[in-house]
Amino acid sequence: MTTAIEYGITEFVTECLDKFRFLIWDEFDGETMIQIAIKERNEKILNLILEISGNDRDDLVSREDNNYNSILHYAAKLAPSAKLNLVSGAALQMQREVQWFKGVENIVHSQYKYTRNGDKETAKYVFTEKHKDLVEKGEKWMKDTSGSCMVVATLIATVAFAAAFTVPRGNISDTNSLQNGVPIFLSGRTFAIFAVADSVALFSSITSDLMFLAIMTSRYAEEDFYKSLPQKLIIGLATLFISMASILISFGAAFTIVLRDKYSWAPIPVASFGLVSVLLFAFLEFPLFLQMVYFTYFPSIFGNKNQSVTNKKKTTKLAKEIEAKKEL
């Protein structure tokens, strides 16, 4: 049973509970099934056990081991390395650990949140002690990532700002004209594309810089890894991607204005190479970005509602059978 929970073999656990329903109350080397599931970070099996427990859920989640460790103390321990490595980046690993701790905290009665184990330690204290190294690694990962992205965003902001005053084909230089200093191709559609793209690149790169600066100056407390830091990194990466795409569009528009009279085919290779650059950046950074968005805004800790119909029927049936047996 311990091995099945460790490796997430939900079918085996379901069949065992179907034949031996009392197993949710038994101990395996001093630990119950729910304690093992929490320690191994297996939310599917934990959801299964909680659903089967039925009306005895409060009694089940309030049980302690021989050292008076509650299930919240088990959630406070560092996850196995195999589970941590499923998430890329120490900061996202720390975020997942905080989400797991809060998830277990939500199913425990409030009076058990501050209980002490045999070593006189609360679950929160255990969590802080066990995750010191991961917090430091998460801080380093965040700062390194933010620093690298900040350099790129600053370069884009510099180029976009300079491009606003060195427009393609120059300005009208006639002191006797009311349009003196006005861009020559101001009324052209391509120039409008250049102006809009350059403005978007400037503002988005500045926004990206601000987000990465906020990350660099954060306090890096455990709670910051829950939503604050990931949200800033998500906004920073999103605006950085927008600024890169915009500056390439701006360059393409300016290049077209300069060369279209002599080389009408010039926009084609410019657009092609620009698209390759944008797609390459998206290919390299989008998986990390998608993972951050998913874990930040769609965490599945104890919220797995996508169980198969078969599993739902089985767990509901088991819960009813346990209740019927108790009544007898």
Side-chain angles (χ1 to χ4, degrees):
M1 182 61 70
T2 303
T3 304
I5 296 175
E6 179 181 354
Y7 289 97
I9 309 175
T10 311
E11 297 80 6
F12 177 82
V13 177
T14 303
E15 291 299 326
C16 285
L17 292 178
D18 191 14
K19 302 296 182 182
F20 311 103
R21 301 170 185 85
F22 57 85
L23 287 178
I24 61 172
W25 306 99
D26 280 9
E27 293 186 354
F28 302 87
D29 293 330
E31 297 176 346
T32 60
M33 286 181 63
I34 190 172
Q35 292 169 347
I36 299 172
I38 291 174
K39 182 180 69 174
E40 296 295 337
R41 303 297 194 263
N42 196 310
E43 58 186 281
K44 289 184 179 180
I45 293 178
L46 180 57
N47 281 326
L48 178 66
I49 295 171
L50 291 175
E51 188 171 353
I52 288 175
S53 63
N55 294 332
D56 289 328
R57 173 171 168 169
D58 290 340
D59 184 29
L60 184 66
V61 300
S62 62
R63 289 201 170 190
E64 300 174 340
D65 63 11
N66 296 330
N67 196 37
Y68 304 103
N69 288 301
S70 65
I71 62 171
L72 198 56
H73 284 88
Y74 280 85
K77 297 177 181 179
L78 188 65
S81 58
K83 295 293 182 180
L84 284 177
N85 293 333
L86 293 176
V87 182
S88 59
L92 296 184
Q93 292 174 357
M94 186 61 198
Q95 179 193 34
R96 202 63 176 164
E97 287 291 275
V98 175
Q99 288 176 342
W100 183 265
F101 183 79
K102 287 183 175 293
V104 175
E105 194 176 41
N106 289 334
I107 67 174
V108 176
H109 195 275
S110 57
Q111 71 183 40
Y112 295 104
K113 294 180 181 179
Y114 305 103
T115 57
R116 298 177 182 271
N117 58 14
D119 299 322
K120 306 300 180 184
E121 297 173 343
T122 62
K124 184 64 176 176
Y125 177 82
V126 174
F127 183 87
T128 301
E129 289 296 314
K130 296 293 184 180
H131 291 81
K132 279 184 177 180
D133 291 340
L134 190 59
V135 169
E136 292 179 1
K137 292 179 181 178
E139 179 180 352
K140 185 179 183 301
W141 185 87
M142 273 284 186
K143 287 185 175 179
D144 290 344
T145 304
S146 299
S148 302
C149 294
M150 193 181 232
V151 172
V152 179
T154 303
L155 288 174
I156 294 174
T158 304
V159 172
F161 183 83
F165 298 97
T166 55
V167 295
R169 291 290 185 94
N171 304 319
I172 298 174
S173 58
D174 186 359
T175 56
N176 297 322
S177 175
L178 294 176
Q179 293 185 335
N180 184 39
V182 176
I184 296 174
F185 288 90
L186 180 62
S187 58
R189 183 179 299 177
T190 308
F191 186 87
I193 296 174
F194 163 79
V196 172
D198 189 68
S199 300
V200 172
L202 177 62
F203 295 131
S204 58
S205 59
I206 290 175
T207 303
S208 182
D209 265 333
L210 290 175
M211 289 297 103
F212 292 128
L213 182 62
I215 292 174
M216 297 288 283
T217 57
S218 294
R219 59 177 182 164
Y220 291 96
E222 295 164 5
E223 289 292 328
D224 293 339
F225 287 94
Y226 182 59
K227 270 195 174 181
S228 176
L229 288 173
Q231 281 180 339
K232 292 173 183 175
L233 189 57
I234 288 170
I235 296 173
L237 287 176
T239 50
L240 179 60
F241 178 78
I242 293 172
S243 65
M244 290 186 68
S246 300
I247 201 68
L248 287 172
I249 294 172
S250 176
F251 171 78
F255 202 72
T256 301
I257 292 173
V258 173
L259 298 178
R260 66 182 175 184
D261 293 339
K262 189 173 183 180
Y263 304 104
S264 58
W265 48 265
I268 298 175
V270 172
S272 301
F273 286 116
L275 183 62
V276 169
S277 300
V278 172
L279 291 178
L280 183 61
F281 178 79
F283 177 75
L284 294 174
E285 298 297 332
F286 188 71
L288 175 63
F289 178 79
L290 188 64
Q291 196 174 47
M292 283 191 299
V293 171
Y294 178 75
F295 285 144
T296 302
Y297 299 106
F298 307 99
S300 59
I301 303 295
F302 312 140
N304 184 16
K305 303 300 182 184
N306 298 320
Q307 289 180 330
S308 64
V309 176
T310 304
N311 280 343
K312 284 185 176 180
K313 288 181 178 179
K314 280 188 176 183
T315 51
T316 304
K317 179 182 176 183
L318 289 173
K320 290 181 179 179
E321 288 179 356
I322 291 175
E323 292 303 317
K325 185 176 180 180
K326 286 184 177 180
E327 291 178 359
L328 293 174

